[in-house]
Amino acid sequence: MTRVLGSAQETLTPEAVDTFVRAALDADDYTAKRVCVLVPDATRSCPLPPLLDSVHAALHGRVAELTFMVALGTHPAMTERQLAALFGYPPGHSEQRYPGVTIRNHEWWRPEALVSVGTIPGAELAELSGGRLRDPVEVRLNRAVADSDVTLVVGPVFPHEVVGFSGGNKYLFPGVAGQEVIDVSHWLGALITSAEIIGTRGITPVRELINRAAARVPSELRCFSLVVESGTTDLHALTYGGTQDAWAAAADITAQVDVRYLDAPVRRVLSLVSDRYDELWTAAKGMYKVEPVVADGGQVVLYAPQLTEVSLTHGTAIAEVGYHCRDYFVKQWDRFRHHPWGVLAHSTHLRGGGTYDESAGEQCRIEVTLATGIDPETTRALGLSYLDPRSIDIAAWERDPQTLVARNAGEILYKLRP
């Protein structure tokens, strides 16, 4: 049974959250078990340290083994200083706050850190993808997760461009997964398109894919799903149960909290990208979350003067393909199929909707402009337009009735009112 604390209209007190977490864990079977707790990295708004204090208080001395693992997906490894900031302890002294806990990155770049737990057959993938994909996909994930008795997800739920709403089993795939499921799931989302899938309630095809992968994980799967006030550490709600049910309960509340509706499309959006994103790979969320409200022929400007990297992990691969709409790749598939599918998906998500044919070339629905610390030449070589961030007067843009200025952009989804 899923436990739920809070609602879209509430802000939970730390005391209520602590009581809820401890009671949920006390009532469940963790004694003498090896427990791996999966948490987000610093790219998500989340009151992580106090939550983990409560988890630690409930499980320390009761379980056989307790690991906190950052579900990186393919984000760069966090340094000790970054881990300390995320978890709230002095660098090099995690034992002061979390005695008996091992804190780890998901080391997706080390093949020996991963283990196969099965394969999703081609026929099964074709069925759940509506015939879009037909080849089998191996399901690999972090060995420490597979070897645990219980995997406990602790993380927020936000509207998401690949799966509809993030959270739940997404902390397994792509969170602690191998490249195979990451590439296939992201490309499936790209084929459906970000604008179509983002903020979609219920079980989307990509959510079904990661649920099928999660069903092959040998450990028991449990979850605290969080509904967070974006840009803060305030919680509206907290749910506990299985990774599917707890996620679903939280997603229903997130849909009320983290979606803003406009009555009509706008010509321009100035996305003031949150400083939690330090590379375009993640800062692109400032585009994903506003694309649905931009008029045909409009413009999205990603304003992030602090951002100087395209991607520490995937920069070279992105430079090889640039940013293009989905049809640009699909209609030239023999040319692009051997590139990493996750990179192709990121490319289409940032570039947005459009069409391609040999005679007319690529016609994208909106213009995407970077006003970042990435130089003009690199920006244009990627297929994007450039605007000097020093030239932007935010107050003047806010006075324009045809412009939406999205502050702390990246987590709040903007949609047109039905």
Side-chain angles (χ1 to χ4, degrees):
M1 184 180 72
T2 301
R3 296 171 176 241
V4 178
L5 176 69
S7 68
Q9 292 74 39
E10 298 178 58
T11 299
L12 301 176
T13 66
E15 295 77 17
V17 171
D18 178 63
T19 299
F20 179 87
V21 171
R22 294 195 193 208
L25 296 179
D26 287 347
D28 221 335
D29 180 16
Y30 287 91
T31 302
K33 293 187 175 182
R34 297 165 296 171
V35 179
C36 186
V37 180
L38 303 184
V39 302
D41 63 13
T43 62
R44 271 71 173 169
S45 295
C46 180
L48 191 62
L51 282 165
L52 292 181
D53 286 342
S54 301
V55 170
H56 182 263
L59 297 183
H60 177 57
R62 177 181 164 202
V63 299
E65 183 180 286
L66 187 56
T67 299
F68 293 166
M69 180 176 291
V70 184
L72 289 174
T74 59
H75 293 180
M78 300 188 75
T79 65
E80 171 57 22
R81 185 168 296 277
Q82 290 170 326
L83 289 170
L86 179 69
F87 287 95
Y89 62 81
H93 298 281
S94 63
E95 283 282 325
Q96 290 184 12
R97 186 158 190 165
Y98 307 110
V101 175
T102 300
I103 294 178
R104 305 175 56 174
N105 284 299
H106 165 51
E107 297 175 311
W108 54 267
W109 58 90
R110 294 180 57 236
E112 62 272 24
L114 304 174
V115 62
S116 177
V117 293
T119 298
I120 297 176
E124 187 175 343
L125 184 57
E127 176 265 326
L128 66 87
S129 71
R132 294 178 177 92
L133 299 171
R134 298 179 177 277
D135 293 330
V137 57
E138 185 178 13
V139 179
R140 291 192 305 149
L141 79 162
N142 194 286
R143 186 179 297 275
V145 175
D147 289 345
S148 68
D149 299 308
V150 179
T151 299
L152 174 63
V153 170
V154 179
V157 175
F158 286 107
H160 194 271
E161 62 278 1
V162 173
V163 70
F165 281 89
S166 67
N169 281 331
K170 191 174 177 297
Y171 278 84
L172 292 156
F173 303 97
V176 293
Q179 196 65 47
E180 298 86 355
V181 172
I182 293 177
D183 279 345
V184 169
S185 62
H186 281 69
W187 186 236
L188 175 57
L191 291 173
I192 298 169
T193 75
S194 171
E196 178 70 23
I197 205 169
I198 194 166
T200 298
R201 305 274 286 275
I203 306 300
T204 64
V206 183
R207 173 65 62 176
E208 181 62 23
L209 170 59
I210 65 174
N211 285 348
R212 301 272 183 106
R216 289 160 167 82
V217 178
S219 61
E220 296 179 57
L221 304 180
R222 300 173 191 169
C223 181
F224 284 108
S225 281
L226 324 174
V227 181
V228 187
E229 180 68 26
S230 177
T232 77
T233 56
D234 293 337
L235 287 179
H236 288 282
L238 177 62
T239 67
Y240 176 78
T243 49
Q244 295 190 46
D245 293 342
W247 163 80
D252 285 343
I253 301 172
T254 297
Q256 302 172 59
V257 171
D258 292 319
V259 182
R260 305 283 186 270
Y261 288 94
L262 303 185
D263 292 323
V266 294
R267 296 296 301 173
R268 292 194 307 179
V269 176
L270 179 63
S271 278
L272 307 181
V273 176
S274 169
D275 60 9
R276 76 174 62 86
Y277 309 124
D278 59 3
E279 53 183 356
L280 188 58
W281 183 261
T282 50
K285 290 179 183 292
M287 162 60 179
Y288 312 154
K289 297 300 199 308
V290 301
E291 182 186 2
V293 300
V294 182
D296 291 348
Q299 180 187 34
V300 172
V301 177
L302 298 181
Y303 177 84
Q306 77 282 359
L307 192 153
T308 60
E309 295 282 349
V310 174
S311 171
L312 293 171
T313 302
H314 307 285
T316 301
I318 296 169
E320 289 180 2
V321 300
Y323 286 101
H324 299 282
C325 68
R326 175 198 62 186
D327 289 2
Y328 182 88
F329 297 121
V330 170
K331 294 188 177 182
Q332 303 179 88
W333 190 232
D334 286 342
R335 175 183 170 191
F336 290 106
R337 66 185 307 153
H338 300 296
H339 290 271
W341 289 8
V343 168
L344 299 183
H346 164 75
S347 172
T348 71
H349 290 149
L350 176 59
R351 196 62 189 87
T355 60
Y356 173 84
D357 64 53
E358 290 185 7
S359 58
E362 185 176 23
Q363 306 292 323
C364 291
R365 192 179 74 83
I366 59 179
E367 180 182 3
V368 179
T369 302
L370 300 189
T372 71
I374 300 172
D375 65 83
E377 293 75 18
T378 300
T379 300
R380 294 184 182 113
L382 291 168
L384 307 173
S385 59
Y386 173 83
L387 186 61
D388 188 336
R390 295 170 298 182
S391 70
I392 293 178
D393 181 342
I394 296 172
W397 285 57
E398 286 183 313
R399 290 192 295 270
D400 179 3
Q402 289 297 311
T403 296
L404 167 68
V405 175
R407 294 184 175 272
N408 191 42
E411 289 179 337
I412 298 297
L413 171 63
Y414 290 85
K415 296 180 69 175
L416 295 176
R417 198 177 307 280

